[in-house]
């Protein structure tokens, strides 16, 4: 009876798999259908005459590239199980994104249902990346340098201050009240004062970014150390561990999940501070570029800047979570990005 039941189960599973296979193939091919829809609309429906013509059909070229990439991934999914699973899961969403992009294209470029000056066509937005690639590259490098310096000093000072407050009751008594007063103030609120205090806008921008990172790193580091079980410290002292060992071999490793959470929050705040700081006195940078394009009423450049910010933030935060997954492998999956 048991063998008969097992055979029946296997037959049911194989029948279910055979029924699901066409559906799974359709899900994996969904991105291709979404891109084909966008390409069909772009080619068959002419742009409104209200929109200025782009030098070249950049959007059509981009769709052709994406179509080729999607086709290659679909073909590889028949041979790579991990890619097959990922594509079956993400395929419908990617197809939906293609439909959304197509609808926006119809509303803006094709029928000009929204003000043309504020909602340019995809071709004009993509043209910015080609015609102003040198300037955009310089702005990205300037913003990256600002962000790197600001985040470095913010994490460094925040970590040191957090360890001091979390481990020393005397430091907590004397310093913590001032931090409670200063810390919650948004870093961007200090811009008028900082610009008059620092000799250069670059130094002022680094300080504003560092200040935005400092408080969340400090807060989460001190909280993580204070929440560490006292038993660990008592065992360490019993075995002859000194203060340095207790701090960097017991307290800090135990507080690492909180420290990474503070760094993540601080970097998110740093992007806000970066964009705001660059709009006041900076010569280059993505924030400066968006402000400049807005002042010139060139909203295709504004959208190009926003796309750069999205890519810039996503790459940096993804890299942070990769590092976190390596350092805290035992906590993998608790916080996802």
């Amino acid at each position: 009876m048991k063998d008969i039941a097992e055979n029946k189960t296997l037959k049911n599973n194989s029948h279910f798999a055979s029924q699901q296979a066409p559906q799974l193939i359709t899900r994996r091919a969904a991105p291709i259908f979404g891109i084909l829809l966008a390409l069909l609309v772009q080619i068959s429906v002419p742009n409104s005459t209200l929109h200025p013509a782009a030098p070249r059909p950049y959007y059509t070229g981009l769709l052709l590239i994406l179509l080729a990439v999607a086709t290659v991934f679909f073909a590889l999914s028949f041979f790579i199980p991990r890619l097959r699973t990922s594509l079956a899961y993400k395929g419908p969403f990617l197809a939906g994104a293609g439909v959304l992009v197509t609808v926006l294209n119809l509303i803006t470029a094709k029928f000009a249902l929204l003000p043309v000056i504020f909602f340019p066509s995809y071709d004009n937005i993509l043209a910015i990346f080609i015609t102003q690639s040198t300037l955009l590259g310089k702005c990205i490098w300037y913003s990256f340098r600002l962000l790197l310096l600001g985040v470095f000093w913010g994490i460094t000072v925040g970590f040191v201050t957090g360890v001091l407050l979390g481990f020393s009751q005397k430091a907590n008594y004397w310093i913590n009240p001032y931090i409670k007063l200063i810390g919650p103030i948004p870093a961007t609120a200090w811009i008028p004062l900082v610009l008059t205090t620092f000799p250069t806008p670059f130094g002022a921008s680094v300080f504003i970014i560092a200040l935005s990172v400092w408080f969340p790193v400090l807060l989460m580091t001190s909280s993580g150390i204070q929440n560490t079980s006292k038993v660990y410290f008592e065992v360490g002292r019993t075995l002859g561990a000194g203060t340095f060992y207790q701090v960097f071999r017991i307290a800090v490793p135990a507080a690492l999940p909180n420290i990474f959470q503070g760094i993540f929050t601080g970097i998110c705040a740093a992007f806000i501070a970066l964009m705001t700081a660059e709009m006041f006195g900076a010569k280059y940078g993505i924030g400066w570029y968006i402000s400049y394009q807005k002042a010139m009423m060139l909203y295709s450049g504004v959208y190009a800047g926003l796309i750069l910010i999205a890519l810039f933030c996503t790459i940096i935060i993804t890299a942070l979570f990769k590092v976190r997954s390596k350092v805290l492998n035992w906590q993998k999956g608790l916080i996802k990005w």
Side-chain angles (χ1 to χ4, degrees):
M1 293 294 293
K2 185 178 179 181
D3 293 338
I4 295 174
E6 289 179 352
N7 290 333
K8 186 176 181 181
T9 302
L10 290 173
K11 288 181 180 178
N12 290 335
N13 289 338
S14 61
H15 178 65
F16 177 77
S18 63
Q19 287 183 331
Q20 288 294 100
Q23 297 180 13
L24 293 177
I25 292 175
T26 303
R27 290 173 67 93
R28 301 201 316 260
I32 298 177
F33 299 144
I35 297 171
L36 285 174
L37 174 64
L39 187 61
L40 179 64
V41 170
Q42 175 65 13
I43 294 175
S44 60
V45 182
N47 286 351
S48 172
T49 56
L50 297 177
H51 284 277
R56 288 188 178 88
Y58 297 110
Y59 180 52
T60 303
L62 177 62
L63 289 176
L64 290 174
I65 294 173
L66 293 177
L67 180 61
V69 172
T71 304
V72 170
F73 274 83
F74 175 70
L76 292 176
S77 67
F78 287 95
F79 307 99
I80 305 175
R82 187 174 179 181
L83 178 61
R84 180 164 58 248
T85 303
S86 178
L87 201 57
Y89 175 72
K90 297 180 180 179
F93 171 79
L94 295 175
V99 174
L100 177 61
V101 168
T102 303
V103 171
L104 292 177
N105 191 25
L106 289 170
I107 293 174
T108 56
K110 302 303 180 182
F111 301 134
L113 300 179
L114 296 174
V116 172
I117 188 172
F118 300 118
F119 298 94
S121 65
Y122 292 153
D123 281 331
N124 288 322
I125 295 174
L126 293 173
I128 296 295
F129 292 100
I130 305 300
T131 59
Q132 300 187 20
S133 57
T134 303
L135 178 59
L136 289 174
K138 195 171 186 178
C139 289
I140 291 173
W141 166 244
Y142 190 94
S143 294
F144 178 75
R145 186 177 57 165
L146 265 181
L147 187 70
L148 186 64
L149 288 173
V151 169
F152 171 78
W153 286 112
I155 291 176
T156 302
V157 178
F159 175 76
V160 172
T161 314
V163 170
L164 190 63
L165 293 182
F167 197 79
S168 173
Q169 294 183 354
K170 290 183 179 180
N172 196 355
Y173 174 81
W174 287 105
I175 301 175
N176 197 37
Y178 297 103
I179 291 176
K180 288 182 178 179
L181 181 66
I182 299 173
I185 300 176
T188 53
W190 295 94
I191 288 179
L193 179 62
V194 170
L195 287 175
T196 58
T197 304
F198 280 78
T200 62
F202 183 85
S205 300
V206 171
F207 178 81
I208 291 297
I209 296 169
L211 187 63
S212 66
V213 177
W214 162 76
F215 181 65
V217 173
L218 176 153
L219 183 64
M220 296 308 298
T221 302
S222 61
S223 298
I225 293 176
Q226 290 172 355
N227 291 330
T228 303
S229 177
K230 305 302 180 185
V231 176
Y232 298 149
F233 297 109
E234 292 175 2
V235 172
R237 283 193 293 269
T238 302
L239 296 176
T243 302
F244 183 86
Y245 188 96
Q246 292 184 49
V247 171
F248 292 100
R249 299 299 296 272
I250 298 176
V252 172
L256 274 178
N258 295 70
I259 294 173
F260 271 101
Q261 187 175 351
I263 293 174
F264 172 77
T265 306
I267 288 180
C268 292
F271 284 118
I272 300 174
L274 172 68
M275 296 301 112
T276 308
E278 286 183 340
M279 293 180 182
F280 294 92
K283 293 182 179 180
Y284 293 103
I286 303 176
W288 166 86
Y289 180 81
I290 292 175
S291 180
Y292 172 74
Q293 294 292 312
K294 178 180 177 296
M296 299 295 293
M297 298 297 288
L298 299 173
Y299 277 82
S300 55
V302 172
Y303 286 104
L306 293 175
I307 293 172
L308 283 179
I309 292 174
L311 294 175
F312 191 49
C313 298
T314 301
I315 291 172
I316 291 179
I317 294 178
T318 301
L320 173 64
F321 269 81
K322 291 291 184 182
V323 174
R324 183 188 183 281
S325 298
K326 293 291 184 182
V327 177
L328 300 177
N329 189 47
W330 55 271
Q331 211 187 28
K332 188 176 182 180
L334 293 183
I335 300 178
K336 296 182 180 179
W337 170 254

